[in-house]
Amino acid sequence: MKTILKIFLLICVFCSCQHASAQKFEGLALTPPMGWNSWNKFAQNVDEKMIREIADAMISTGMKEAGYEYIVIDDYWHGERDSLGFIQANKDRFPSGIKALADYIHQKGLKFGIYSCAGHETCGHQPGSRGYEYQDAYMYAKWGVDYLKYDWCSTKNLNSIGAYTTMSSAIKKAGRPMVFSLCEWGSTHPWEWAQNVGHLWRTTGDIYNCFDCIDDHGNWKAFGVLQITEMNQKLRKYAGPGCWNDPDMLEVGNGMALNEARAHFSLWCMMAAPLISGNDLRNMDKETISVLTNKAIISVDQDSLGIQGFRYETKDSVEMWLKPLKNGEWAITYFNRSHQSVKVVIDWRSMNIKDPDFGYTLNLTGRSKFLVQDLWLNKEIGNTIGKHSVSIAARDVFCLKLYLK
Ligand code: GLA
């Protein structure tokens, strides 16, 4: 009997440890993370000089002031593992080492992120973390890493829940709080199991620098803004503070026309997406800066209620999106998908809308009245009595905030 009791107690201790160690660092990413990542623009061409210059530009362009915080080096920073198995940076491109780079970024009041992969190899055939999870997390913590993006290449026969939970536990064990970004492209529905494992999860394959297209490589596809939006919008009920659907990094500033860049950025903000810029911050034109640093629309993304917005209806190619905000306020975006400008008449008094997943209501048929702010012009344009007519250019947006004084 005693032996059975002992075994039972041992099992209990084992299970509770397993449970405790699978918990991510709480209190991080309570609003969608904001930052910059090297992949979209630089791919394999990363080095310490460029990353330092990006950190400088993050400040000089006003990006930091607008809320961007993390500088994340994606794939290709790696060198060999040393004789004890510790991962090292590529010595030619990062001669001062990762710790010195992290220190530089921290001195600027920014945070530092890095990339690895659950398989033996990253997607760029660099050393992955499989079998080295605890050793790598220890090293990242030692270097001062604040954010880990963790990819899903070369993972044949690997169970995603197990692989991501192992790395999450390794980070916890290493003891330095890090935002944990799962990048398994939505293939095993992380929104259903990763709430305690990570802080954001990719919902789709890679973004492609195009507004409306699919880049088909045979065994994998990359997707334009519209295709990604379509996939990501269905998952809103899984998002919330500390748990974000990630429709991938921004392509703003990589050549998209201004109207499309504005629509892309607005849709990401309406979907409470992580805002990770993916362009060359050292060479931005005024228009790109004006999109990426528009504080009014960023405040919609960063609203502390943390609700992902929803598409309510589509009329004459114009989609109407809503996002409940804190204090009973609302963001509304009219998005014209078509190639022609469309006139929209907003009849405020006919609006009685219920959030299908979270139960918030916007009922303007009675006495309640909001003030209306045009978010891109950052200007009050009236209130919710009567009607408002507007012409929305092709593939552009009209973004509003309904607020109370
Ligand atoms: C995958 C990821 C991308 C990027 C590359 C790097 O494709 O989804 O975001 O990290 O790997 O090789």
Side-chain angles (χ1 to χ4, degrees), residues 265-276:
F265 195 71
S266 306
L267 289 167
W268 262 230
C269 289
M270 290 300 285
M271 294 194 293
L275 297 179
I276 309 291

Side-chain angles (χ1 to χ4, degrees), residues 39 74-76 115 122-124 149 151 153 183 185 202 205-206 248-249:
W39 181 252
D74 207 281
D75 210 344
Y76 292 99
Y115 160 99
T122 69
C123 299
K149 172 176 169 183
D151 216 337
C153 277
C183 178
W185 321 307
R202 282 274 297 279
D206 287 4
D248 207 0
M249 300 163 300

Side-chain angles (χ1 to χ4, degrees), residues 367-381:
R367 294 164 64 91
S368 70
K369 182 180 95 179
F370 290 90
L371 291 172
V372 182
Q373 179 194 10
D374 178 324
L375 292 169
W376 282 103
L377 296 180
N378 200 2
K379 190 174 140 198
E380 187 185 315
I381 56 162

Side-chain angles (χ1 to χ4, degrees), residues 17 62 106 123 153 189 193 198 216 261 263 304 346-347 365:
C17 287
H106 288 145
C123 299
C153 277
H189 298 185
W193 52 262
D216 195 342
S304 59
I346 306 171
D347 180 5
T365 58

Side-chain angles (χ1 to χ4, degrees), residues 95-167:
S96 321
I98 300 291
K99 172 85 173 73
L101 187 54
D103 288 348
Y104 183 84
I105 288 169
H106 288 145
Q107 274 159 24
K108 305 230 149 216
L110 297 166
K111 291 187 172 155
F112 175 61
I114 213 161
Y115 160 99
S116 188
C117 184
H120 290 299
E121 282 192 346
T122 69
C123 299
H125 307 295
Q126 307 297 301
S129 290
R130 186 167 181 187
Y132 293 92
E133 293 86 352
Y134 280 78
Q135 215 175 344
D136 284 357
Y138 166 84
M139 205 62 183
Y140 303 153
K142 223 173 135 197
W143 286 339
V145 168
D146 307 296
Y147 183 115
L148 176 65
K149 172 176 169 183
Y150 205 53
D151 216 337
W152 190 236
C153 277
S154 67
T155 51
K156 203 162 172 242
N157 301 327
L158 208 56
N159 172 288
S160 58
I161 304 181
Y164 281 96
T165 303
T166 302
M167 190 39 117

